[in-house]
Amino acid sequence: MEIGIDSFASAMYGSNELNSQDAMEQLLQRIVAADQAGLDIFGIGEHHKKEFLDSAPAVILAAAAALTKRIRLTSAVSVLSTSDPVRVYQSFATLDIISKGRAEMVVGRGSAIEAYPLFGFNLNDYDALFKEKLELLLKIRDEEFITWSGKFRPALKDQPIYPRAVQQNIPVWLGVGGTPQSFVRAGKLGLPLMVAVIGGETERFRPLIDLYRESGREAGFRSDQLIVGLHSPGYVGENDQSAINDYYPGYAELWTKLGRERGWPPVTRNHFDSQTAPQGALVVGGPETVAKKLIRHSEALGGVDRFTFQMDNAGLTHQQLMRSIELIGTQVIPNIRQDQKES
């Protein structure tokens, strides 16, 4: 199992707001720390809100590429529905060149909708936009000269797209929530699947992941080509109690605020405790507890190839996040790899 971190480039740590320069500098320091600690992947999301600095993820990742050596760098996710697939490919091909072949992208429709009015798209075209643009993106990835026509973008006729990525097939993951059609789509295309589980019991996604694998096999893809990733909020502390003490206040504040926007109930401590329990979605605890939980999640879902923590969304300081990265690299990853070796 590969282990990594996804970030929304938050400029807020609890009630203490950082200026943009300091927040970005600290984010890049964390990516370097993750590279040095042996983590496998670091992802940057895409939002268009005041509290986040990730409206141009490829730019942040390119800065990180110049500072790192081995860690893979990905979007998490690129809102493909509101982007031009030509520019998305060009941006990540450029990142692939800068990073010497370490670029990936996770693409999706976006759970937040602020990009649609910002770029002049109609929410009624939510799925149609994504379907068409994903088709074009994959065609550009696989072919240098493109002939294509669709509804939402001018046609291309024998048009070359440059630069080309270092990797012949730069990885394109499909980011999904809980829509069965999205799992089927990923399976039929043979794309790696990144499942965002932010609440409830993680094992409830097993039927959907089985649907992905079944759809992929029916489309002619081998089982080893049908890769599953899992993304959840999480944090590793020195021990279980200190991790919970660090994480809960900021988590409750943020998710209660989001709840007011989206119609969810306020976060309670009982709800939080249910989410940090073995079957719950939150991966919060000391290194041993976190490693056991990730192994349990993988077993419950029929095998997970990659897990990414969302850590900078709970009012944690830069120092706490840096220490958590160190603990993931020095204790969580070795525990998981040892378990995999023994099994």
Side-chain angles (χ1 to χ4, degrees), residues 45-76:
E46 179 187 341
H47 296 83
H48 302 272
K49 296 182 176 182
K50 182 179 180 180
E51 61 264 35
F52 301 122
L53 300 173
D54 61 347
S55 64
V59 177
I60 300 173
L61 294 168
L67 300 172
T68 55
K69 301 296 185 184
R70 52 163 298 279
I71 197 166
R72 297 189 66 80
L73 301 165
T74 185
S75 57

PDB file of all heavy atoms in Angstrom, residues 45-76:
ATOM      1  N   GLY A  45      -5.321  19.694  -3.956  1.00  0.00           N
ATOM      2  CA  GLY A  45      -6.684  19.789  -4.444  1.00  0.00           C
ATOM      3  C   GLY A  45      -6.895  20.999  -5.335  1.00  0.00           C
ATOM      4  O   GLY A  45      -5.945  21.696  -5.717  1.00  0.00           O
ATOM      5  N   GLU A  46      -8.135  21.245  -5.670  1.00  0.00           N
ATOM      6  CA  GLU A  46      -8.491  22.441  -6.444  1.00  0.00           C
ATOM      7  C   GLU A  46      -9.766  23.052  -5.876  1.00  0.00           C
ATOM      8  O   GLU A  46     -10.824  22.411  -5.866  1.00  0.00           O
ATOM      9  CB  GLU A  46      -8.711  22.123  -7.922  1.00  0.00           C
ATOM     10  CG  GLU A  46      -9.096  23.361  -8.742  1.00  0.00           C
ATOM     11  CD  GLU A  46      -9.491  23.065 -10.173  1.00  0.00           C
ATOM     12  OE1 GLU A  46      -9.140  21.987 -10.683  1.00  0.00           O
ATOM     13  OE2 GLU A  46     -10.178  23.914 -10.780  1.00  0.00           O
ATOM     14  N   HIS A  47      -9.635  24.270  -5.363  1.00  0.00           N
ATOM     15  CA  HIS A  47     -10.772  25.028  -4.859  1.00  0.00           C
ATOM     16  C   HIS A  47     -10.618  26.477  -5.313  1.00  0.00           C
ATOM     17  O   HIS A  47      -9.525  26.901  -5.712  1.00  0.00           O
ATOM     18  CB  HIS A  47     -10.853  24.965  -3.331  1.00  0.00           C
ATOM     19  CG  HIS A  47     -11.087  23.592  -2.808  1.00  0.00           C
ATOM     20  ND1 HIS A  47     -10.053  22.691  -2.621  1.00  0.00           N
ATOM     21  CD2 HIS A  47     -12.230  22.946  -2.448  1.00  0.00           C
ATOM     22  CE1 HIS A  47     -10.559  21.548  -2.159  1.00  0.00           C
ATOM     23  NE2 HIS A  47     -11.863  21.680  -2.044  1.00  0.00           N
ATOM     24  N   HIS A  48     -11.680  27.204  -5.220  1.00  0.00           N
ATOM     25  CA  HIS A  48     -11.666  28.610  -5.619  1.00  0.00           C
ATOM     26  C   HIS A  48     -12.340  29.420  -4.514  1.00  0.00           C
ATOM     27  O   HIS A  48     -13.300  30.146  -4.741  1.00  0.00           O
ATOM     28  CB  HIS A  48     -12.357  28.770  -6.976  1.00  0.00           C
ATOM     29  CG  HIS A  48     -11.728  27.942  -8.050  1.00  0.00           C
ATOM     30  ND1 HIS A  48     -10.675  28.389  -8.824  1.00  0.00           N
ATOM     31  CD2 HIS A  48     -11.966  26.659  -8.448  1.00  0.00           C
ATOM     32  CE1 HIS A  48     -10.309  27.432  -9.659  1.00  0.00           C
ATOM     33  NE2 HIS A  48     -11.075  26.378  -9.451  1.00  0.00           N
ATOM     34  N   LYS A  49     -11.796  29.257  -3.295  1.00  0.00           N
ATOM     35  CA  LYS A  49     -12.340  29.897  -2.098  1.00  0.00           C
ATOM     36  C   LYS A  49     -11.229  30.640  -1.362  1.00  0.00           C
ATOM     37  O   LYS A  49     -10.043  30.301  -1.485  1.00  0.00           O
ATOM     38  CB  LYS A  49     -12.948  28.847  -1.167  1.00  0.00           C
ATOM     39  CG  LYS A  49     -14.142  28.101  -1.749  1.00  0.00           C
ATOM     40  CD  LYS A  49     -14.712  27.110  -0.740  1.00  0.00           C
ATOM     41  CE  LYS A  49     -15.953  26.420  -1.269  1.00  0.00           C
ATOM     42  NZ  LYS A  49     -16.539  25.486  -0.287  1.00  0.00           N
ATOM     43  N   LYS A  50     -11.635  31.613  -0.564  1.00  0.00           N
ATOM     44  CA  LYS A  50     -10.677  32.472   0.126  1.00  0.00           C
ATOM     45  C   LYS A  50      -9.742  31.683   1.032  1.00  0.00           C
ATOM     46  O   LYS A  50      -8.553  32.005   1.144  1.00  0.00           O
ATOM     47  CB  LYS A  50     -11.439  33.525   0.932  1.00  0.00           C
ATOM     48  CG  LYS A  50     -10.536  34.511   1.674  1.00  0.00           C
ATOM     49  CD  LYS A  50     -11.350  35.538   2.429  1.00  0.00           C
ATOM     50  CE  LYS A  50     -10.445  36.521   3.168  1.00  0.00           C
ATOM     51  NZ  LYS A  50     -11.235  37.542   3.918  1.00  0.00           N
ATOM     52  N   GLU A  51     -10.272  30.665   1.706  1.00  0.00           N
ATOM     53  CA  GLU A  51      -9.467  29.975   2.730  1.00  0.00           C
ATOM     54  C   GLU A  51      -8.478  28.966   2.168  1.00  0.00           C
ATOM     55  O   GLU A  51      -7.701  28.384   2.912  1.00  0.00           O
ATOM     56  CB  GLU A  51     -10.380  29.298   3.752  1.00  0.00           C
ATOM     57  CG  GLU A  51     -11.295  28.237   3.179  1.00  0.00           C
ATOM     58  CD  GLU A  51     -12.677  28.748   2.851  1.00  0.00           C
ATOM     59  OE1 GLU A  51     -12.786  29.921   2.422  1.00  0.00           O
ATOM     60  OE2 GLU A  51     -13.651  27.989   3.012  1.00  0.00           O
ATOM     61  N   PHE A  52      -8.496  28.756   0.853  1.00  0.00           N
ATOM     62  CA  PHE A  52      -7.574  27.797   0.239  1.00  0.00           C
ATOM     63  C   PHE A  52      -6.744  28.486  -0.842  1.00  0.00           C
ATOM     64  O   PHE A  52      -7.210  29.422  -1.505  1.00  0.00           O
ATOM     65  CB  PHE A  52      -8.343  26.632  -0.381  1.00  0.00           C
ATOM     66  CG  PHE A  52      -9.198  25.870   0.596  1.00  0.00           C
ATOM     67  CD1 PHE A  52     -10.559  25.737   0.386  1.00  0.00           C
ATOM     68  CD2 PHE A  52      -8.641  25.290   1.721  1.00  0.00           C
ATOM     69  CE1 PHE A  52     -11.358  25.044   1.285  1.00  0.00           C
ATOM     70  CE2 PHE A  52      -9.423  24.593   2.630  1.00  0.00           C
ATOM     71  CZ  PHE A  52     -10.781  24.475   2.416  1.00  0.00           C
ATOM     72  N   LEU A  53      -5.530  27.972  -1.038  1.00  0.00           N
ATOM     73  CA  LEU A  53      -4.607  28.548  -2.020  1.00  0.00           C
ATOM     74  C   LEU A  53      -4.365  27.604  -3.191  1.00  0.00           C
ATOM     75  O   LEU A  53      -3.353  27.718  -3.886  1.00  0.00           O
ATOM     76  CB  LEU A  53      -3.265  28.876  -1.338  1.00  0.00           C
ATOM     77  CG  LEU A  53      -3.328  29.872  -0.180  1.00  0.00           C
ATOM     78  CD1 LEU A  53      -1.964  29.970   0.500  1.00  0.00           C
ATOM     79  CD2 LEU A  53      -3.786  31.238  -0.660  1.00  0.00           C
ATOM     80  N   ASP A  54      -5.280  26.686  -3.432  1.00  0.00           N
ATOM     81  CA  ASP A  54      -5.031  25.614  -4.401  1.00  0.00           C
ATOM     82  C   ASP A  54      -5.819  25.775  -5.703  1.00  0.00           C
ATOM     83  O   ASP A  54      -6.170  24.789  -6.344  1.00  0.00           O
ATOM     84  CB  ASP A  54      -5.341  24.252  -3.772  1.00  0.00           C
ATOM     85  CG  ASP A  54      -6.800  24.116  -3.324  1.00  0.00           C
ATOM     86  OD1 ASP A  54      -7.510  25.138  -3.263  1.00  0.00           O
ATOM     87  OD2 ASP A  54      -7.220  22.980  -3.023  1.00  0.00           O
ATOM     88  N   SER A  55      -6.065  27.006  -6.131  1.00  0.00           N
ATOM     89  CA  SER A  55      -6.815  27.180  -7.381  1.00  0.00           C
ATOM     90  C   SER A  55      -5.996  26.770  -8.600  1.00  0.00           C
ATOM     91  O   SER A  55      -6.564  26.493  -9.659  1.00  0.00           O
ATOM     92  CB  SER A  55      -7.269  28.640  -7.531  1.00  0.00           C
ATOM     93  OG  SER A  55      -6.153  29.505  -7.647  1.00  0.00           O
ATOM     94  N   ALA A  56      -4.671  26.694  -8.473  1.00  0.00           N
ATOM     95  CA  ALA A  56      -3.797  26.295  -9.580  1.00  0.00           C
ATOM     96  C   ALA A  56      -2.859  25.188  -9.099  1.00  0.00           C
ATOM     97  O   ALA A  56      -1.663  25.410  -8.897  1.00  0.00           O
ATOM     98  CB  ALA A  56      -3.006  27.494 -10.095  1.00  0.00           C
ATOM     99  N   PRO A  57      -3.383  23.981  -8.893  1.00  0.00           N
ATOM    100  CA  PRO A  57      -2.578  22.924  -8.274  1.00  0.00           C
ATOM    101  C   PRO A  57      -1.295  22.586  -9.028  1.00  0.00           C
ATOM    102  O   PRO A  57      -0.273  22.287  -8.408  1.00  0.00           O
ATOM    103  CB  PRO A  57      -3.531  21.722  -8.223  1.00  0.00           C
ATOM    104  CG  PRO A  57      -4.645  22.046  -9.155  1.00  0.00           C
ATOM    105  CD  PRO A  57      -4.761  23.530  -9.169  1.00  0.00           C
ATOM    106  N   ALA A  58      -1.324  22.615 -10.354  1.00  0.00           N
ATOM    107  CA  ALA A  58      -0.117  22.249 -11.107  1.00  0.00           C
ATOM    108  C   ALA A  58       1.033  23.211 -10.831  1.00  0.00           C
ATOM    109  O   ALA A  58       2.206  22.810 -10.883  1.00  0.00           O
ATOM    110  CB  ALA A  58      -0.425  22.202 -12.605  1.00  0.00           C
ATOM    111  N   VAL A  59       0.718  24.475 -10.537  1.00  0.00           N
ATOM    112  CA  VAL A  59       1.761  25.451 -10.230  1.00  0.00           C
ATOM    113  C   VAL A  59       2.427  25.102  -8.897  1.00  0.00           C
ATOM    114  O   VAL A  59       3.665  25.116  -8.772  1.00  0.00           O
ATOM    115  CB  VAL A  59       1.178  26.871 -10.199  1.00  0.00           C
ATOM    116  CG1 VAL A  59       2.253  27.882  -9.818  1.00  0.00           C
ATOM    117  CG2 VAL A  59       0.584  27.235 -11.554  1.00  0.00           C
ATOM    118  N   ILE A  60       1.612  24.788  -7.890  1.00  0.00           N
ATOM    119  CA  ILE A  60       2.163  24.391  -6.591  1.00  0.00           C
ATOM    120  C   ILE A  60       2.997  23.125  -6.731  1.00  0.00           C
ATOM    121  O   ILE A  60       4.109  23.014  -6.187  1.00  0.00           O
ATOM    122  CB  ILE A  60       1.036  24.171  -5.570  1.00  0.00           C
ATOM    123  CG1 ILE A  60       0.230  25.459  -5.370  1.00  0.00           C
ATOM    124  CG2 ILE A  60       1.596  23.682  -4.231  1.00  0.00           C
ATOM    125  CD1 ILE A  60      -1.001  25.296  -4.500  1.00  0.00           C
ATOM    126  N   LEU A  61       2.487  22.159  -7.467  1.00  0.00           N
ATOM    127  CA  LEU A  61       3.201  20.889  -7.641  1.00  0.00           C
ATOM    128  C   LEU A  61       4.506  21.085  -8.395  1.00  0.00           C
ATOM    129  O   LEU A  61       5.503  20.395  -8.115  1.00  0.00           O
ATOM    130  CB  LEU A  61       2.303  19.887  -8.365  1.00  0.00           C
ATOM    131  CG  LEU A  61       1.065  19.437  -7.580  1.00  0.00           C
ATOM    132  CD1 LEU A  61       0.108  18.676  -8.491  1.00  0.00           C
ATOM    133  CD2 LEU A  61       1.451  18.573  -6.376  1.00  0.00           C
ATOM    134  N   ALA A  62       4.533  22.013  -9.333  1.00  0.00           N
ATOM    135  CA  ALA A  62       5.776  22.276 -10.060  1.00  0.00           C
ATOM    136  C   ALA A  62       6.834  22.873  -9.134  1.00  0.00           C
ATOM    137  O   ALA A  62       8.023  22.522  -9.220  1.00  0.00           O
ATOM    138  CB  ALA A  62       5.507  23.215 -11.233  1.00  0.00           C
ATOM    139  N   ALA A  63       6.385  23.764  -8.229  1.00  0.00           N
ATOM    140  CA  ALA A  63       7.324  24.301  -7.239  1.00  0.00           C
ATOM    141  C   ALA A  63       7.860  23.185  -6.355  1.00  0.00           C
ATOM    142  O   ALA A  63       9.058  23.133  -6.039  1.00  0.00           O
ATOM    143  CB  ALA A  63       6.635  25.373  -6.399  1.00  0.00           C
ATOM    144  N   ALA A  64       6.965  22.271  -5.967  1.00  0.00           N
ATOM    145  CA  ALA A  64       7.387  21.137  -5.140  1.00  0.00           C
ATOM    146  C   ALA A  64       8.319  20.213  -5.900  1.00  0.00           C
ATOM    147  O   ALA A  64       9.255  19.639  -5.327  1.00  0.00           O
ATOM    148  CB  ALA A  64       6.160  20.370  -4.649  1.00  0.00           C
ATOM    149  N   ALA A  65       8.086  20.048  -7.199  1.00  0.00           N
ATOM    150  CA  ALA A  65       8.921  19.148  -8.008  1.00  0.00           C
ATOM    151  C   ALA A  65      10.369  19.600  -8.005  1.00  0.00           C
ATOM    152  O   ALA A  65      11.289  18.769  -8.016  1.00  0.00           O
ATOM    153  CB  ALA A  65       8.381  19.079  -9.434  1.00  0.00           C
ATOM    154  N   ALA A  66      10.568  20.913  -8.009  1.00  0.00           N
ATOM    155  CA  ALA A  66      11.932  21.437  -8.029  1.00  0.00           C
ATOM    156  C   ALA A  66      12.656  21.250  -6.699  1.00  0.00           C
ATOM    157  O   ALA A  66      13.880  21.370  -6.640  1.00  0.00           O
ATOM    158  CB  ALA A  66      11.898  22.921  -8.399  1.00  0.00           C
ATOM    159  N   LEU A  67      11.901  20.938  -5.642  1.00  0.00           N
ATOM    160  CA  LEU A  67      12.482  20.813  -4.310  1.00  0.00           C
ATOM    161  C   LEU A  67      12.578  19.373  -3.825  1.00  0.00           C
ATOM    162  O   LEU A  67      13.158  19.118  -2.764  1.00  0.00           O
ATOM    163  CB  LEU A  67      11.626  21.608  -3.306  1.00  0.00           C
ATOM    164  CG  LEU A  67      11.484  23.105  -3.551  1.00  0.00           C
ATOM    165  CD1 LEU A  67      10.458  23.710  -2.591  1.00  0.00           C
ATOM    166  CD2 LEU A  67      12.825  23.808  -3.395  1.00  0.00           C
ATOM    167  N   THR A  68      12.003  18.432  -4.562  1.00  0.00           N
ATOM    168  CA  THR A  68      11.925  17.039  -4.113  1.00  0.00           C
ATOM    169  C   THR A  68      12.628  16.119  -5.096  1.00  0.00           C
ATOM    170  O   THR A  68      12.960  16.504  -6.217  1.00  0.00           O
ATOM    171  CB  THR A  68      10.457  16.608  -3.959  1.00  0.00           C
ATOM    172  OG1 THR A  68       9.761  16.847  -5.192  1.00  0.00           O
ATOM    173  CG2 THR A  68       9.772  17.387  -2.847  1.00  0.00           C
ATOM    174  N   LYS A  69      12.823  14.861  -4.664  1.00  0.00           N
ATOM    175  CA  LYS A  69      13.601  13.915  -5.458  1.00  0.00           C
ATOM    176  C   LYS A  69      12.806  12.707  -5.920  1.00  0.00           C
ATOM    177  O   LYS A  69      12.980  12.246  -7.051  1.00  0.00           O
ATOM    178  CB  LYS A  69      14.800  13.421  -4.629  1.00  0.00           C
ATOM    179  CG  LYS A  69      15.739  14.520  -4.169  1.00  0.00           C
ATOM    180  CD  LYS A  69      16.417  15.205  -5.345  1.00  0.00           C
ATOM    181  CE  LYS A  69      17.441  16.231  -4.851  1.00  0.00           C
ATOM    182  NZ  LYS A  69      18.040  16.986  -5.990  1.00  0.00           N
ATOM    183  N   ARG A  70      11.953  12.145  -5.053  1.00  0.00           N
ATOM    184  CA  ARG A  70      11.362  10.856  -5.378  1.00  0.00           C
ATOM    185  C   ARG A  70       9.841  10.799  -5.227  1.00  0.00           C
ATOM    186  O   ARG A  70       9.194   9.979  -5.861  1.00  0.00           O
ATOM    187  CB  ARG A  70      11.970   9.743  -4.504  1.00  0.00           C
ATOM    188  CG  ARG A  70      11.940  10.030  -3.004  1.00  0.00           C
ATOM    189  CD  ARG A  70      12.142   8.796  -2.162  1.00  0.00           C
ATOM    190  NE  ARG A  70      11.084   7.827  -2.378  1.00  0.00           N
ATOM    191  CZ  ARG A  70       9.892   7.889  -1.811  1.00  0.00           C
ATOM    192  NH1 ARG A  70       9.569   8.890  -1.013  1.00  0.00           N
ATOM    193  NH2 ARG A  70       8.992   6.961  -2.054  1.00  0.00           N
ATOM    194  N   ILE A  71       9.263  11.625  -4.392  1.00  0.00           N
ATOM    195  CA  ILE A  71       7.833  11.533  -4.127  1.00  0.00           C
ATOM    196  C   ILE A  71       7.033  11.865  -5.387  1.00  0.00           C
ATOM    197  O   ILE A  71       7.400  12.752  -6.157  1.00  0.00           O
ATOM    198  CB  ILE A  71       7.435  12.468  -2.958  1.00  0.00           C
ATOM    199  CG1 ILE A  71       6.066  12.100  -2.396  1.00  0.00           C
ATOM    200  CG2 ILE A  71       7.500  13.938  -3.366  1.00  0.00           C
ATOM    201  CD1 ILE A  71       5.754  12.745  -1.064  1.00  0.00           C
ATOM    202  N   ARG A  72       5.950  11.117  -5.622  1.00  0.00           N
ATOM    203  CA  ARG A  72       5.092  11.394  -6.766  1.00  0.00           C
ATOM    204  C   ARG A  72       4.149  12.547  -6.416  1.00  0.00           C
ATOM    205  O   ARG A  72       3.762  12.721  -5.251  1.00  0.00           O
ATOM    206  CB  ARG A  72       4.326  10.145  -7.195  1.00  0.00           C
ATOM    207  CG  ARG A  72       5.267   9.034  -7.664  1.00  0.00           C
ATOM    208  CD  ARG A  72       4.539   7.868  -8.298  1.00  0.00           C
ATOM    209  NE  ARG A  72       3.890   8.227  -9.546  1.00  0.00           N
ATOM    210  CZ  ARG A  72       4.516   8.332 -10.720  1.00  0.00           C
ATOM    211  NH1 ARG A  72       5.831   8.118 -10.817  1.00  0.00           N
ATOM    212  NH2 ARG A  72       3.833   8.642 -11.822  1.00  0.00           N
ATOM    213  N   LEU A  73       3.781  13.322  -7.429  1.00  0.00           N
ATOM    214  CA  LEU A  73       3.037  14.561  -7.224  1.00  0.00           C
ATOM    215  C   LEU A  73       1.776  14.530  -8.075  1.00  0.00           C
ATOM    216  O   LEU A  73       1.833  14.279  -9.281  1.00  0.00           O
ATOM    217  CB  LEU A  73       3.914  15.754  -7.604  1.00  0.00           C
ATOM    218  CG  LEU A  73       5.227  15.856  -6.806  1.00  0.00           C
ATOM    219  CD1 LEU A  73       6.200  16.822  -7.475  1.00  0.00           C
ATOM    220  CD2 LEU A  73       4.959  16.290  -5.366  1.00  0.00           C
ATOM    221  N   THR A  74       0.633  14.810  -7.437  1.00  0.00           N
ATOM    222  CA  THR A  74      -0.637  14.639  -8.129  1.00  0.00           C
ATOM    223  C   THR A  74      -1.630  15.735  -7.765  1.00  0.00           C
ATOM    224  O   THR A  74      -1.510  16.385  -6.726  1.00  0.00           O
ATOM    225  CB  THR A  74      -1.248  13.261  -7.798  1.00  0.00           C
ATOM    226  OG1 THR A  74      -2.432  13.053  -8.576  1.00  0.00           O
ATOM    227  CG2 THR A  74      -1.603  13.150  -6.324  1.00  0.00           C
ATOM    228  N   SER A  75      -2.612  15.931  -8.619  1.00  0.00           N
ATOM    229  CA  SER A  75      -3.776  16.734  -8.237  1.00  0.00           C
ATOM    230  C   SER A  75      -4.694  15.876  -7.378  1.00  0.00           C
ATOM    231  O   SER A  75      -4.624  14.652  -7.420  1.00  0.00           O
ATOM    232  CB  SER A  75      -4.525  17.218  -9.481  1.00  0.00           C
ATOM    233  OG  SER A  75      -4.931  16.128 -10.288  1.00  0.00           O
ATOM    234  N   ALA A  76      -5.584  16.550  -6.611  1.00  0.00           N
ATOM    235  CA  ALA A  76      -6.409  15.765  -5.685  1.00  0.00           C
ATOM    236  C   ALA A  76      -7.670  16.526  -5.259  1.00  0.00           C
ATOM    237  O   ALA A  76      -7.796  16.863  -4.103  1.00  0.00           O
ATOM    238  CB  ALA A  76      -5.582  15.407  -4.449  1.00  0.00           C
TER     239      ALA A  76
END
